[in-house]
Amino acid sequence: MADTVLVTGISGFIGGHIAAELLRRGYAVRGSVRSPARADEVRAAMAAVADDALLEIVQLDLLSDEGWSAATEGCRFVQHVASPFVTAKPKDPDDLIRPAVQGTTRAINAALDAGVDRVVVTSALATVQYAPARKDHLFTASDWTPLDQRGLGAYVTSKVRAERAAWDITERRGARDRLAVINPGGVIGPLLSDDPGTSVTAIQQIMAGALPMIPDLRLPWIDVRDVADAHIEAMTGETAGGTRTILATDPSSLIDVAAVLRARLPEASAKMPTRAMPTWLTWVASMFEPQLRDNRWLIGSAQRFDRGPAETLLGRPFRSIPETIEETGRSLVEHGLV
């Protein structure tokens, strides 16, 4: 009998890639969706890249207790990926914070109650990169974004509070070594469906010519397949329990991303803006443009992140980001999204 893994948020970009890789490795996957209407879409996406004979779809809501006990029953592992994520600031911060924290709380408690060997939680680099630090600081897993940091948005707050809740619960229940946390940066890569991930949307907007100029927003990119592999290694690795692992490269500007796309996909670059927005102008524009304002912390970013533990966990270096950018662009074209 194959080991069963519950993957919450299987319809999402990261959750889908984790589930697909689990299926390719012979695991039975029980994937959760919030709406049953997405079940056929998920099955089609999985069937296109893996044998879906061991795939089961269940319904779970981050804000409801219903179904969590049944979903974790018989599972050896849990991958808790589901979490709300929006690109624009919500009117009510609790629209992000409540489901993130409550969903993580339900997933951790249900997993521990079911006796799973390990639960892996998808957190975010945002729980690390707002830690007070000198300009030349190398961010590591010991860095934490403080909740009292001035100007934290709802998304960052939701991720910090959710990850803190996961550690608090496992500490309280004497099960810290049964939790592992993955903290990815801007996740890009080939799509499994017509629903691009949030970070992929930034590349989609560049290719579609949605912006008159390319802003100097710098993201610590990571390939979604590295993220999926890291989740699985964190699930099974003997020393991975009780750890949080950063998955991020040093930030690359959207201007650099556009240069890669023009060089490698000239046939798909006709709509792309040709002018780069200088850092100073990006700051000025962020005063008036909501999406830039909400991502102001990425303007001209020069943070550095310790990739050593992640590459040790993976047993190899990260995939090449220029190649991942190219594959992301090709995938967007293939799915008719640009």
Side-chain angles (χ1 to χ4, degrees):
M1 294 288 290
D3 289 331
T4 300
V5 184
L6 171 65
V7 180
T8 69
I10 192 174
S11 60
F13 184 49
I14 296 175
H17 273 276
I18 293 171
E21 185 58 29
L22 285 166
L23 289 170
R24 284 192 285 263
R25 298 191 191 194
Y27 288 94
V29 172
R30 184 176 295 159
S32 81
V33 294
R34 187 174 62 177
S35 169
R38 302 204 67 179
D40 288 344
E41 172 193 336
V42 170
R43 285 196 174 279
M46 293 298 105
V49 295
D51 182 356
D52 65 339
L54 294 178
L55 175 65
E56 175 189 1
I57 304 296
V58 298
Q59 184 179 3
L60 291 175
D61 191 319
L62 298 176
L63 293 171
S64 171
D65 290 334
E66 186 175 354
W68 284 93
S69 178
T72 52
E73 184 178 358
C75 290
R76 184 175 179 187
F77 305 104
V78 168
Q79 296 275 356
H80 178 54
V81 191
S83 184
F85 193 143
V86 296
T87 55
K89 184 177 180 180
K91 291 182 179 179
D92 183 354
D94 275 345
D95 289 345
L96 276 176
I97 296 169
R98 283 180 61 247
V101 175
Q102 291 187 24
T104 298
T105 299
R106 289 184 169 91
I108 296 292
N109 280 322
L112 296 180
D113 289 346
V116 304
D117 287 1
R118 187 166 296 157
V119 54
V120 181
V121 170
T122 310
S123 185
L125 191 64
T127 68
V128 172
Q129 66 188 137
Y130 288 91
R134 298 183 312 180
K135 189 174 182 180
D136 61 347
H137 181 67
L138 178 69
F139 286 85
T140 71
S142 63
D143 288 305
W144 273 94
T145 295
L147 282 169
D148 60 357
Q149 180 98 335
R150 185 177 177 181
L152 286 188
Y155 168 70
V156 177
T157 301
S158 75
K159 299 305 289 189
V160 174
R161 288 185 56 184
E163 188 184 339
R164 286 291 194 187
W167 290 116
D168 288 347
I169 293 167
T170 52
E171 288 278 8
R172 189 168 60 249
R173 298 187 58 170
R176 183 180 174 86
D177 62 343
R178 292 165 65 191
L179 171 66
V181 172
I182 300 296
N183 303 79
V187 184
I188 57 175
L191 278 61
L192 296 178
S193 70
D194 293 341
D195 184 10
T198 303
S199 296
V200 173
T201 301
I203 296 178
Q204 180 187 24
Q205 290 179 332
I206 291 174
M207 296 182 71
L211 303 170
M213 300 175 71
I214 302 173
D216 186 23
L217 294 182
R218 302 184 187 184
L219 285 157
W221 307 102
I222 190 72
D223 191 299
V224 69
R225 292 161 295 187
D226 286 345
V227 177
D229 287 345
H231 275 76
I232 297 172
E233 297 303 323
M235 180 182 83
T236 58
E238 290 185 7
T239 61
T243 67
R244 59 202 302 249
T245 303
I246 292 173
L247 266 72
T249 56
D250 294 343
S252 297
S253 172
L254 293 179
I255 297 168
D256 299 325
V257 171
V260 171
L261 292 169
R262 282 197 197 90
R264 302 193 179 200
L265 295 172
E267 71 280 7
S269 301
K271 298 179 183 177
M272 287 173 50
T274 57
R275 294 183 298 166
M277 187 180 294
T279 302
W280 69 268
L281 184 55
T282 307
W283 274 104
V284 173
S286 72
M287 299 177 187
F288 308 98
E289 166 54 47
Q291 192 166 358
L292 282 179
R293 183 169 60 247
D294 293 340
N295 292 289
R296 186 178 293 178
W297 58 280
L298 295 171
I299 298 173
S301 171
Q303 292 179 315
R304 298 183 304 128
F305 304 98
D306 183 10
R307 66 173 68 187
E311 293 184 339
T312 297
L313 180 68
L314 290 168
R316 57 170 175 78
F318 290 152
R319 285 176 167 84
S320 161
I321 294 304
E323 290 182 9
T324 300
I325 291 169
E326 178 183 353
E327 289 185 74
T328 304
R330 291 191 187 282
S331 186
L332 285 166
V333 172
E334 290 168 2
H335 285 269
L337 295 175
V338 292

